[in-house]
Every structure is written in C-alpha cells, then in structure tokens.
Amino acid sequence: MSAVPPPAVTYFEPPPSPAELPARLASPFDPSPPHPLARRAAEELQSLLRRGDVAKDAGLDAPGGGKMFGALVVATEDGRVGYLRAFSGMLGGRWHVEGFAPPLFDPVARDAFWPDGQEELRALELRHADPGDRDEVEHLRAERSRQLWRQLTDSYVLPNARGEHQSLTALFEPEAPPGGAGDCAAPKLFAWAYRHRLRPLALAEFWWGAPPVTGRWLAGGYYPACQSKCGRVLPYMLEGLDVAPAPPWSTGPVPLEEPRLVFEDAWLLVVDKPHGLPSAPGRHARQRDSMLSRFQQRSSSKLSVVFALDAETSGLLLLAKDEETQAALRRQFARREADLRHVAWLDGSVAGDHGSLELPLRMTPEGHLVDPVHGKRAVSEWRVTERAGMRTRVTLLPRTRLAHQLQVHTAHPLGLGAPIVGDTRHGREGPRLMLHAESLTFTHPRTGEGLTFESHPPF
C-alpha cells in the first residue's frame, strides 16, 4: 500500500511544531476537553459545516436533526500532521460523503441482502395480525431477524493498530451487538487512519446542528465516546497504540450481581434482577444471558416474563410458569389492578411534586421517540420524594408497559425534562442507570391472595 496520504487528510497550515503535538493519545472515553490540536481540527470542520451546504443538505438544522461529528489528528509516515473527518451513522441519507471517512462495511454488499430481508420481516408483520398464525409467525420473525442481524454485523470489519481484524459479531459474542455499534464517528476515523498508515494523535467528537428533542447535546459541544455502542469497539481498535487510561468507570463491564429469588410457588416466581442483566434473550441473540434463561435452567415448567424490565433497570421481575397465569397477570396490569412501582434519581430539578404523563411513543432505529400522531399510548404517574441539589428522587408508576417508557417520559421536555441519572441515550454517562423496580403488588391468579413484594434500591 502506498504511503502517500489520501486526499481526505486536511493538513494544518501552518504546520504545528513538535511541542504542540500530544505526548500520547487521550482516551476517547475521557470527558475532559480535547487536546488543543484536536480542538483546532474540530473548529476547522465546524467552520466548514457553518459556511457550506453539508449541514443544509443533510437537514442538520431541522428539529432533532443534529449529528455527532469527529476530527482525528493524524501523522503521516513522513511526519506531516493533519486530520480526518467523520460523522456518525449516515449524513443526508448517505453512508459515503466526499471528504469524510467511510463506514466499516461495504454498502454494496449490504444492499445485496438488507432491503430484501427487511421486506421479508414486513410481510411477516402483516401475517402476525392473524391470531391463528401468531405463535408460528412470531417464531419465524424472531429467527429471520436474528439471521439478518448476524449477516449485517458480520459485514463490519474492525481493524486495530496491530494490524489485526475482527468482525463486529465476534467482538460482542455471545451477545448480539447493539444497534449502531461501529457507526459512530470515532470507529470510522481510526479504521480510515489504519487503512492509510496514519498514526492517530488526538481525537475530538462534537455535536453539530439542532439538539435532540431531549436537549442532551448542544451544537459545538464536545463529548466523550459512548459506552453503549463504543465501549467494546474502541478498546479493541486502540490495541497497539499508546493511549492514556480511560476513566475508572469505563475500563470494562461491571461484573453482574447474582439474581435473587424472592418468591416461588407452582405457578409463578418473583425475582430480584440485577442491573445489566436482560429480562429475556434479545431477538438478535437467542442464547444471550438473561434472567429468563438462568431460571429456565432450573425449572421443569416453560417460564415466561410477564412484563420485562430494561436490561439497565434493576429490581423486581415477575415470571409465570404457564400461559394462563401469564395472561391473568397481564390483565391485572392492564386494568390497573396490579402495580410495579419504580424509584429513580433524575439529573435535574423537577417542577411540581406529582402528576401523570401521557406521551405516546414510537420506536425508530435510533430509539423511542414521543410521537403524538403515530405513537402508542404511554402513561406514567410520578411523585417527588426527595430533592438534593440539582438532582430529584422520584417514584414512577408506569400504567402502560412500553420499552424505555420511563426513560423517555422523564427526559423529554414535554415530560419531566430531567433524564434519569446514568441514562446514556437521553442524559449523561454514569456507572449505571439509577432506575429500580422497588415494589410489586398483585393478586395471585390461582389463590386469590393479595401479594406485595419489596426490593431496597441499591442507590
């Protein structure tokens, strides 16, 4: 491969002196301000975005249309210093934009299977409406979805500074990679640098365009790499480089606590789920570790989750040992005859002391969004129990059971306007999501006994 740098490198004019170069690459997970040279590169990119047509064509200034960009300072083999540019995901509906680092997969190869696969899933979704075929179709959808996701993540090739390569699938096994892993700006930049024998020196990632509806990121603000998508990707890609240590909370996954059995009889179980363990295997990773799979190993009954908790949420989880018990318990929650109360610390001050939120939610590839037109009904009751500085402790009672409902309802400006502490999607990084299911109340569907269980929150 030629040592001549590609046209995508933008060289500094005037060139920086040796004294201006960083001694080592800072950790991408460090929230400290970027190195002055990385900031200089980022400001040049921001100037380009400000005066050019890129932001306009991509709709970055439309409400919620902003995007994360990155600038990686690099040195060529002959000692010249410049920088590479990248954006997260797609820009204006395109993976390839001239002057920016390409994705980690081949879009042509992706287009050969991805559109047809999505069409298959849509066809199965239509069949799913027929109650007679529902179980068979759900199985077919889940299996096809896993196959398609595996095919997609196999196509991502991750290099590191040692010259090694690994697929996104292999990096996350036995779990399935989360959506968007490998599509952030930083992985694109390091892969592009390695491909052209450029030595990474400093990185800056910043938000540009309109802020998201939750207001988490602001235009021109610098942010560290996210743990949810890049927590495994970047440490592998940085192997072989001299990199400063990451912050203590980002040095690796926190060991999972063991789940605790709270109650069991012939029809159901109540368990205390630790933070980080999924309630059930994901549709893309059938063998993924979960509460359901762990307790299924020791049960002769076919267990099912009555209502799942998000993986990052800890607390009480209800499992049924037969379909009739599961259906009866779900009816109780739907009729508000059963409650699962949560406790959370919110990052911000909340106006008022109690209330009810009804914000319809719609699932998009980027996550759940409030959508009054096309969204599903979502209702959450809340009450403030403590105020401490700029944080607020609340109890939350979801009256509907949609994934990530409480995270969106607390963070959204039309909700409480304060994200849950540790919510990486709507708030700021932290050691964990401070959301815990602390109290479960229901009537036993077989005995008629009223039952209440409590779990002390670990925060």
Side-chain angles (χ1 to χ4, degrees):
M1 182 181 294
S2 171
V4 178
V9 177
T10 302
Y11 295 103
F12 290 112
E13 292 296 342
S17 67
E20 294 180 274
L21 302 181
R24 68 196 305 197
L25 182 72
S27 168
F29 301 103
D30 192 335
S32 304
H35 185 273
L37 208 54
R39 191 181 189 105
R40 177 179 165 185
E43 289 174 352
E44 288 190 13
L45 174 53
Q46 291 170 13
S47 179
L48 173 69
L49 294 171
R50 188 179 293 111
R51 69 174 184 267
D53 295 328
V54 174
K56 181 180 179 181
D57 294 344
L60 298 181
D61 294 327
K67 182 170 290 293
M68 200 72 76
F69 287 81
L72 179 66
V73 180
V74 294
T76 66
E77 291 182 308
D78 60 4
R80 299 182 69 189
V81 178
Y83 64 91
L84 304 174
R85 305 187 295 248
F87 50 83
S88 64
M90 304 174 76
L91 186 62
R94 294 184 293 164
W95 289 106
H96 281 280
V97 175
E98 185 177 358
F100 290 86
L104 300 183
F105 61 88
D106 181 354
V108 175
R110 175 179 176 142
D111 288 345
F113 68 87
W114 186 252
D116 289 344
Q118 292 294 298
E119 190 59 39
E120 288 180 50
L121 293 178
R122 280 190 288 271
L124 288 170
E125 181 70 30
L126 294 176
R127 282 184 58 192
H128 189 257
D130 183 353
D133 290 343
R134 187 163 296 169
D135 290 343
E136 178 186 358
V137 171
E138 183 61 33
H139 173 74
L140 291 174
R141 285 178 65 237
E143 189 61 34
R144 183 65 182 116
S145 179
R146 280 191 289 268
Q147 293 170 356
L148 194 60
W149 189 250
R150 174 69 181 244
Q151 194 173 358
L152 179 65
T153 57
D154 279 347
S155 69
Y156 281 72
V157 179
L158 310 177
N160 64 22
R162 294 196 178 105
E164 302 165 340
H165 295 80
Q166 190 165 189
S167 73
L168 193 63
T169 306
L171 189 65
F172 279 85
E173 282 183 332
E175 301 174 3
D183 290 330
C184 295
K188 294 181 182 180
L189 288 166
F190 285 107
W192 192 235
Y194 298 151
R195 185 182 304 175
H196 295 279
R197 298 184 181 179
L198 302 170
R199 181 165 58 91
L201 299 177
L203 172 70
E205 290 189 279
F206 62 90
W207 183 265
W208 195 257
V213 291
T214 57
R216 177 186 176 189
W217 295 305
L218 300 177
Y222 294 96
Y223 300 94
C226 65
Q227 276 290 318
S228 56
K229 297 178 183 178
C230 293
R232 292 194 190 180
V233 171
L234 288 180
Y236 171 77
M237 297 186 74
L238 295 176
E239 289 181 9
L241 293 180
D242 182 16
V243 184
W249 55 264
S250 66
T251 54
V254 177
L256 294 177
E257 301 174 14
E258 283 298 316
R260 180 174 65 91
L261 178 63
V262 178
F263 173 85
E264 181 177 11
D265 63 13
W267 300 282
L268 57 87
L269 299 88
V270 177
V271 295
D272 199 347
K273 186 183 85 66
H275 151 76
L277 184 65
S279 297
R283 61 175 182 169
H284 297 313
R286 182 171 49 188
Q287 304 302 324
R288 187 179 182 185
D289 188 20
S290 68
M291 288 289 289
L292 183 62
S293 58
R294 289 193 185 190
F295 280 91
Q296 186 62 72
Q297 293 175 1
R298 53 177 289 270
S299 176
S300 58
S301 304
K302 184 179 179 181
L303 302 180
S304 58
V305 177
V306 176
F307 282 111
L309 296 176
D310 298 331
E312 301 309 304
T313 303
S314 56
L316 296 171
L317 186 70
L318 187 54
L319 304 178
K321 292 188 175 183
D322 59 79
E323 293 182 359
E324 186 177 349
T325 299
Q326 181 195 45
L329 290 168
R330 287 187 171 179
R331 283 194 296 269
Q332 288 189 38
F333 280 98
R335 296 170 180 169
R336 299 190 179 184
E337 298 168 352
D339 291 331
L340 180 60
R341 188 181 73 234
H342 295 64
V343 61
W345 274 106
L346 305 186
D347 193 2
S349 180
V350 173
D353 295 323
H354 59 86
S356 179
L357 303 170
E358 185 167 352
L359 300 177
L361 303 184
R362 175 173 59 90
M363 183 62 180
T364 69
E366 293 77 26
H368 282 77
L369 296 176
V370 171
D371 186 341
V373 178
H374 302 101
K376 293 183 178 180
R377 183 171 181 266
V379 181
S380 304
E381 297 177 5
W382 62 276
R383 180 176 296 275
V384 173
T385 59
E386 184 179 349
R387 300 181 189 272
M390 290 304 295
R391 287 188 174 182
T392 307
R393 190 180 180 94
V394 296
T395 58
L396 300 165
L397 194 61
R399 290 305 190 180
T400 53
R401 307 293 306 180
L402 301 184
H404 307 295
Q405 173 179 319
L406 296 179
Q407 290 92 314
V408 178
H409 278 186
T410 52
H412 199 276
L414 297 177
L416 298 183
I420 298 173
V421 173
D423 184 349
T424 58
R425 181 177 294 277
H426 305 100
R428 294 183 287 183
E429 294 275 1
R432 65 153 292 173
L433 180 72
M434 290 196 179
L435 178 63
H436 181 81
E438 66 171 353
S439 177
L440 172 65
T441 300
F442 62 94
T443 300
H444 198 295
R446 300 297 186 131
T447 67
E449 181 184 4
L451 298 174
T452 297
F453 301 95
E454 302 281 344
S455 170
H456 184 71
F459 48 78

